[in-house]
Amino acid sequence: MQRKMYILLTTLFLITFASGRFLLIAKKNFDYSLFDILKPTIIDILFAVLLILLCYWLGKLNRLLPYVIAISSMLFYFANIEYIYAMDNILNLSDISYISDSEFLKGSALHVSFPVYYILVVLFLIGALIFGNQLNKGAREGENKKLSVIFLVVLICSEGVLVSLSDNDWKNNNFVYASLNNGVYTVMNNEKDYDNQYYPENIEEKINTTELIGEGKDLLSHAAAGRKNVLIVTMEGIPGAYVAQTQKHLNVVNSIKMNSFNKIKDHSIIIPNYITHNNQTIRGLYSFLAGDYPKLDASTPKAYEYMEDSKNQKKLLPQLLKDKGYNTAYIQAAGLEFMSKDQFMKSAGFDTVIGSEGFPHNEVPFSWGVDDKAFFEQTESYLNDLNSKGKPWFATLLTVGTHHPYAVPPDYEEKYPDRKEAAVKYLDDSLSSFIDYINHSDFANDTLVLFVSDESHGVNDQPYGSNWGLCIAYAPNIEGTIYNDNVFGHKDILNSVLDYVDSKEYSNKKGRSIFRTYGKDSPIMFATHVNGDVFYSTEKGKVYKLDSKNNLYEIDSENHEMFSENYTIKKINDESLKNDISLYKNYISKPSSDNNELNIIKSKTYEVKAKEGYLITAGQYMTLPDKSYVNIDFNYELLDTKEGVGLTFELRTNEGKVIKKTVDGATSNKHLHYRFFNDKEQSGYTFEMFMTPFFSDTTSTKKVSIDNMVVSFEDKDKELKKGQSDATEFDVFKKGDEETNKNLIPFMSTSKSGVFLTSDNRILLNSKDSNNYLVYGPYLPYPKGKYTLQYKFKLNEKYGLNEPLFTLDVSAQQGSQIPAQRSFTLEDLDYEGGYYIAKLEFELNQDISDVEFRLHGNRSLDMTVTDVSTTKK
């Protein structure tokens, strides 16, 4: 019976698993023949068979290993499905760092596209593992151990061969194999020694135009007098393939069409061949504001290096326009702390920077920020205010609703086949109303509006669809629909705006403008850092692709434009061109300064309320050099400080550490420091910093200043920088290591006034007016076992021997289980050296990810807790 059930559940798993590709293809509306789908389906089934065999033979050695391997593999497989659906690309191993970022998880990973499919796959797989383990009971008692090891080696080698033979095209391979292959080869081919690499003197000519802006043929009449406002509307992930006019012009078919642009087509310049140079919002924003390539790999974005390199900073577009008398504003629908866009935009020269906190109304609840309709509607008042100041203005907007998992109203989700298309249509309708607002506004006749995308979330059946961007210029002095067929990218926006604002002043500046046509093609580079592909083109319609395996391909479009319905793709062997493309990529991606510091926050003031948590920063995705110490430092100040006012700072890293420090408002040292050693180079390193204030008046707000948050890197042999040695250190605790976490107070939280954490890791309870207080935490993982919880404290008043003082309990699985609970009187406490000790024994029958200890008040108390700890029996 067990063998039959094992075979049945394994068969159901194989069939269900293989159907995932068909679900994804249907969701993405691909048109595939049986021949196209046959090879990747066979590879999918082979992957599933090898996984089942691997788990079966692992089960002969240990009954838990099959579950660990199987669930990990399926989670990685599901994550790839979601990423392919959202971005038309596979995951890179470097993207695993996103998993540790709670802002990313909250915004992007809390919605799944195929829930029924995922549930069925997991159920059938776990069922097969259960019965496989039953069949393996005898082997675990000593039978066939040697044979099991041999089979495991063979299976693992087979998996390794399949990974090495895969390429990074998900349409031809199993998603996991392709993703692993890509990640491994990206790491292997990563160039690290940028500084010692030789770059020829003419390298700029190989990647940028040598022409001057004014050498192009002017598409506009610049005779129009008066101020020229500039509005850039940046739309999250939208490719140019969604523009109906572009589809018609290039003879490209796409099921999604944004009809809102029909309202502006009679006064527009459309750029069909528009490139986003890389993925990720911060890279796209930097590129068009700086007039520069972003880095073409996954290393620290240039935006962070720009903020730190104050001595050599070139002026970005906002500052250049400020110098010409413009007011400037940056307004986005998402929170500003993620990727430190608030700090970068201030460094770039924007006078006003507004994020999701500036939008009180939402039409659709969405973790990333404000939905598109609510964003555009509420932005109108900001633009009206900007326009009322009597000076020309420059504003940049950024939507977020078309970011996975998409902000979609229920009626749109019912109307369209998938959430992605529904989100685009919702954006389209919202944009249509916003265009109506612009056309009826006081600034309608003297404003240039640029509609662009920050990145591309991919286009089906396009070899570089993840770099197909959108760019449309709309202004009253544009007559008719004009198609500029030259190739442009994000880096050309800055020059284009300057050309529009003052064509005479900037005509001799090197570069290209979308408001002009040029007689010859210009070199351009772009990349998709998630899969390691780098593209290079010097002739429109002919693109060279260098993949992560160092394979070189020539891609020729059928229509001789950059984007086409059909392409000819052939592998070529040209070592010289391979080396050139790698050299150009490294030149663009090398650090933009020699400064070993990244300034995450220069200066920011927060208005805070007691006991509320505030995100200070997240999502930096930095590159950490090898063999170096990494320092995270910042200054803090509580304005209008009073005694009894304090802050708890919590730093979470992607190494699984949660680090805390509570500081008193009256403390003289207002500099916090965290330091660790980094052995191997890491890309995509990120950390989160949270702040929780506490003070007695829970109704009022106070101001907290955070200044000079810097991440710095030092060689392992160097000493600490001056100023760091006398800083207050964070209290470092490692998740899941209850043996080394001696005092858990930094992890604890309190409720009600009169209950505080202090900077020297104590908890003060002065609850004379209340018995409804609570001390709770630490929400750390504890393995299965028996423990003793201990509270050590001083009583500052006298109490009766049998008088109830407080109750301790242990909570597991988010409060659904209470393994232990006990009320304490003075008689129940141990007394040692002036301290009272309350002990509570508890047992966990399984591993728990978020154990909570709670101290409930039974009466008003005046006490000081000096230690909260656990010991394992």
Side-chain angles (χ1 to χ4, degrees):
M1 181 63 182
Q2 288 179 348
R3 188 172 299 277
K4 288 181 179 180
M5 287 300 297
Y6 177 68
I7 293 173
L8 173 63
L9 289 168
T10 298
T11 303
L12 289 172
F13 165 69
L14 295 176
I15 295 171
T16 307
F17 179 84
S19 68
R21 182 175 297 273
F22 295 87
L23 287 173
L24 184 59
I25 286 173
K27 193 88 166 179
K28 291 180 70 65
N29 200 26
F30 274 118
D31 184 16
Y32 268 104
S33 66
L34 178 62
F35 178 78
D36 293 327
I37 204 72
L38 185 60
K39 175 194 168 186
T41 302
I42 291 173
I43 298 176
D44 284 342
I45 294 173
L46 183 59
F47 168 81
V49 169
L50 287 175
L51 178 63
I52 286 290
L53 290 174
L54 181 64
C55 290
Y56 179 81
W57 288 96
L58 280 172
K60 292 179 179 294
L61 302 178
N62 184 285
R63 67 183 182 86
L64 294 178
L65 275 178
Y67 297 99
V68 174
I69 297 298
I71 297 302
S72 299
S73 299
M74 287 302 98
L75 287 176
F76 192 54
Y77 173 73
F78 297 156
N80 266 287
I81 289 181
E82 293 294 332
Y83 202 82
I84 291 167
Y85 171 54
M87 300 295 291
D88 199 44
N89 226 319
I90 55 172
L91 277 170
N92 190 293
L93 292 179
S94 63
D95 295 325
I96 292 176
S97 61
Y98 288 19
I99 296 173
S100 67
D101 196 308
S102 65
E103 286 298 295
F104 176 82
L105 289 175
K106 182 177 71 175
S108 216
L110 296 182
H111 182 279
V112 294
S113 304
F114 309 95
V116 176
Y117 169 73
Y118 297 156
I119 291 170
L120 288 176
V121 167
V122 171
L123 286 178
F124 290 143
L125 178 57
I126 290 179
L129 297 181
I130 290 172
F131 283 98
N133 259 335
Q134 292 296 319
L135 295 173
N136 279 327
K137 275 186 176 180
R140 285 195 298 272
E141 294 169 2
E143 302 173 14
N144 298 323
K145 286 288 182 73
K146 186 176 181 180
L147 184 63
S148 299
V149 173
I150 294 173
F151 266 88
L152 285 171
V153 171
V154 171
L155 288 169
I156 292 171
C157 290
S158 301
E159 296 277 20
V161 170
L162 288 170
V163 169
S164 66
L165 293 176
S166 298
D167 59 37
N168 55 20
D169 186 353
W170 66 267
K171 294 183 283 294
N172 298 321
N173 288 282
N174 173 260
F175 310 150
V176 172
Y177 287 155
S179 190
L180 289 173
N181 175 285
N182 168 51
V184 169
Y185 277 91
T186 299
V187 172
M188 288 173 58
N189 294 328
N190 184 33
E191 286 284 353
K192 299 177 183 178
D193 196 7
Y194 299 115
D195 293 333
N196 294 326
Q197 192 160 10
Y198 170 73
Y199 300 111
E201 291 183 3
N202 67 341
I203 192 168
E204 278 289 339
E205 299 175 9
K206 301 296 183 180
I207 60 174
N208 276 313
T209 184
T210 58
E211 295 169 305
L212 304 178
I213 292 175
E215 291 179 3
K217 179 183 176 182
D218 196 352
L219 296 174
L220 298 177
S221 169
H222 287 281
R227 65 182 184 180
K228 295 175 180 178
N229 308 315
V230 179
L231 173 63
I232 298 180
V233 180
T234 315
M235 294 167 289
E236 168 63 47
I238 300 299
Y242 294 168
V243 180
Q245 290 82 4
T246 297
Q247 292 181 27
K248 183 178 180 180
H249 186 74
L250 297 178
N251 195 26
V252 171
V253 177
N254 194 283
S255 60
I256 301 178
K257 292 181 176 64
M258 294 184 68
N259 299 317
S260 55
F261 297 122
N262 292 332
K263 292 185 174 183
I264 61 173
K265 65 180 181 180
D266 293 333
H267 296 280
S268 291
I269 295 177
I270 299 173
I271 314 298
N273 300 296
Y274 189 77
I275 299 293
T276 60
H277 301 292
N278 204 342
N279 313 114
Q280 203 173 50
T281 298
I282 192 65
R283 299 175 194 272
L285 292 171
Y286 169 84
S287 187
F288 71 66
L289 292 175
D292 183 22
Y293 282 111
K295 291 186 180 180
L296 300 184
D297 56 19
S299 60
T300 304
K302 287 184 179 180
Y304 291 108
E305 296 174 347
Y306 177 84
M307 286 189 284
E308 184 54 39
D309 193 18
S310 57
K311 294 181 180 179
N312 301 309
Q313 274 187 355
K314 62 181 180 180
K315 291 183 179 181
L316 305 193
L317 183 56
Q319 186 61 54
L320 289 169
L321 293 179
K322 276 179 68 173
D323 291 347
K324 295 182 71 66
Y326 277 63
N327 286 324
T328 59
Y330 175 79
I331 307 169
Q332 72 169 35
L336 289 165
E337 289 80 8
F338 194 73
M339 296 182 175
S340 299
K341 288 198 285 292
D342 51 348
Q343 302 301 307
F344 170 64
M345 295 307 167
K346 290 176 183 176
S347 297
F350 284 107
D351 299 313
T352 302
V353 179
I354 300 170
S356 57
E357 72 284 349
F359 297 88
H361 172 64
N362 241 21
E363 293 285 341
V364 181
F366 190 48
S367 297
W368 273 117
V370 187
D371 66 276
D372 294 335
K373 183 175 185 292
F375 173 68
F376 282 125
E377 287 178 349
Q378 293 170 91
T379 296
E380 294 176 10
S381 62
Y382 290 121
L383 295 182
N384 291 339
D385 180 63
L386 195 61
N387 190 62
S388 68
K389 295 180 179 180
K391 295 172 64 177
W393 52 264
F394 167 59
T396 297
L397 312 182
L398 174 65
T399 69
V400 75
T402 44
H403 192 296
H404 183 273
Y406 315 114
V408 182
D411 55 332
Y412 278 77
E413 192 166 9
E414 293 173 3
K415 187 177 179 180
Y416 295 100
D418 60 67
R419 286 180 61 85
K420 187 175 182 178
E421 183 174 348
V424 174
K425 290 295 185 180
Y426 186 56
L427 166 65
D428 192 26
D429 291 345
S430 304
L431 188 62
S432 179
S433 299
F434 187 65
I435 290 172
D436 289 340
Y437 153 74
I438 291 174
N439 288 336
H440 292 90
S441 68
D442 293 338
F443 54 82
N445 294 322
D446 53 15
T447 300
L448 164 70
V449 185
L450 284 176
F451 297 94
V452 299
S453 48
D454 61 332
E455 59 177 331
S456 172
H457 59 210
V459 185
N460 295 345
D461 296 322
Q462 290 288 330
Y464 37 88
S466 294
N467 298 95
W468 190 348
L470 180 150
C471 182
I472 298 175
Y474 169 53
N477 59 335
I478 299 174
E479 297 180 0
T481 304
I482 301 173
Y483 293 93
N484 189 338
D485 284 322
N486 288 156
V487 179
F488 295 95
H490 271 341
K491 67 182 179 64
D492 300 309
I493 292 296
L494 179 144
N495 287 331
S496 302
V497 171
L498 296 178
D499 182 37
Y500 182 87
V501 167
D502 195 333
S503 59
K504 290 183 179 180
E505 179 179 347
Y506 297 103
S507 62
N508 291 323
K509 187 178 187 297
K510 187 180 288 188
R512 286 192 164 200
S513 165
I514 65 171
F515 300 108
R516 300 173 185 268
T517 59
Y518 298 85
K520 62 181 182 179
D521 292 328
S522 173
I524 192 167
M525 292 198 73
F526 49 100
T528 305
H529 75 256
V530 292
N531 65 10
D533 291 343
V534 183
F535 301 90
Y536 180 62
S537 175
T538 58
E539 177 185 345
K540 186 175 69 172
K542 184 185 292 292
V543 177
Y544 296 101
K545 167 187 167 183
L546 186 65
D547 69 11
S548 60
K549 280 186 169 181
N550 207 35
N551 296 315
L552 183 64
Y553 299 87
E554 180 183 312
I555 306 172
D556 294 281
S557 66
E558 183 181 63
N559 60 3
H560 304 294
E561 304 284 346
M562 288 298 282
F563 302 99
S564 175
E565 187 68 17
N566 297 296
Y567 299 82
T568 300
I569 303 175
K570 59 182 179 183
K571 188 175 182 180
I572 61 175
N573 187 19
D574 188 333
E575 291 299 322
S576 177
L577 183 55
K578 284 183 184 180
N579 293 334
D580 286 345
I581 294 175
S582 293
L583 185 71
Y584 302 157
K585 174 201 170 186
N586 292 343
Y587 175 75
I588 291 171
S589 302
K590 65 185 178 70
S592 55
S593 74
D594 296 328
N595 201 324
N596 287 323
E597 293 184 350
L598 296 174
N599 198 317
I600 305 301
I601 297 176
K602 287 189 176 179
S603 179
K604 188 171 182 180
T605 300
Y606 300 80
E607 289 193 357
V608 300
K609 292 184 177 180
K611 305 293 178 67
E612 293 189 12
Y614 297 86
L615 176 67
I616 297 175
T617 182
Q620 303 84 15
Y621 304 115
M622 303 170 291
T623 296
L624 306 185
D626 62 343
K627 306 298 181 185
S628 63
Y629 283 102
V630 181
N631 303 294
I632 301 175
D633 290 86
F634 67 96
N635 302 322
Y636 63 91
E637 184 176 2
L638 288 90
L639 308 179
D640 301 324
T641 300
K642 295 180 181 179
E643 192 172 341
V645 178
L647 295 169
T648 295
F649 292 99
E650 180 176 320
L651 190 153
R652 301 176 187 174
T653 75
N654 59 359
E655 305 109 343
K657 291 182 179 178
V658 178
I659 306 156
K660 281 193 175 186
K661 190 67 182 179
T662 300
V663 295
D664 291 328
T667 184
S668 58
N669 191 343
K670 298 183 178 181
H671 181 190
L672 276 173
H673 171 71
Y674 172 58
R675 176 180 172 91
F676 65 94
F677 181 72
N678 184 63
D679 187 33
K680 295 182 180 180
E681 180 177 303
Q682 293 188 59
S683 291
Y685 182 88
T686 183
F687 68 92
E688 297 173 296
M689 183 75 73
F690 295 88
M691 171 179 65
T692 304
F694 54 88
F695 41 87
S696 57
D697 184 359
T698 58
T699 60
S700 66
T701 61
K702 297 187 181 297
K703 291 184 178 181
V704 177
S705 173
I706 303 294
D707 297 309
N708 201 29
M709 179 177 283
V710 172
V711 180
S712 60
F713 314 113
E714 296 175 296
D715 293 340
K716 64 178 181 179
D717 297 326
K718 287 187 178 180
E719 296 181 359
L720 277 173
K721 284 189 173 184
K722 186 178 180 181
Q724 292 176 343
S725 58
D726 60 351
T728 301
E729 296 283 340
F730 273 89
D731 299 305
V732 180
F733 295 81
K734 188 173 181 181
K735 274 190 172 184
D737 194 353
E738 73 288 339
E739 293 298 325
T740 60
N741 295 342
K742 299 302 182 185
N743 189 349
L744 298 173
I745 285 180
F747 284 90
M748 308 305 286
S749 300
T750 63
S751 69
K752 299 297 180 183
S753 60
V755 185
F756 299 106
L757 278 74
T758 68
S759 59
D760 56 350
N761 292 341
R762 295 179 300 148
I763 302 174
L764 300 181
L765 292 95
N766 189 2
S767 55
K768 294 182 179 180
D769 299 327
S770 172
N771 64 350
N772 193 25
Y773 52 86
L774 178 67
V775 177
Y776 58 97
Y779 302 110
L780 291 177
Y782 274 71
K784 175 182 176 181
K786 294 181 178 181
Y787 299 87
T788 300
L789 168 65
Q790 177 174 291
Y791 275 72
K792 184 177 180 181
F793 55 92
K794 283 187 175 182
L795 291 175
N796 303 320
E797 286 190 359
K798 293 183 178 181
Y799 302 95
L801 194 63
N802 296 310
E803 189 176 359
L805 300 177
F806 54 81
T807 299
L808 295 182
D809 71 34
V810 180
S811 171
Q813 296 185 333
Q814 297 180 337
S816 62
Q817 295 181 16
I818 307 294
Q821 184 177 51
R822 182 182 176 185
S823 293
F824 288 84
T825 65
L826 202 60
E827 192 175 28
D828 300 319
L829 303 175
D830 294 336
Y831 187 74
E832 296 177 3
Y835 290 90
Y836 290 94
I837 298 174
K839 295 181 179 181
L840 178 63
E841 295 184 353
F842 64 96
E843 181 177 3
L844 301 177
N845 296 320
Q846 61 186 44
D847 296 349
I848 303 296
S849 62
D850 58 347
V851 172
E852 180 186 12
F853 310 128
R854 298 183 294 194
L855 184 152
H856 305 262
N858 292 339
R859 56 151 297 142
S860 59
L861 278 177
D862 186 356
M863 60 187 287
T864 303
V865 181
T866 58
D867 183 90
V868 178
S869 60
T870 56
T871 55
K872 193 171 184 179
K873 291 187 175 182

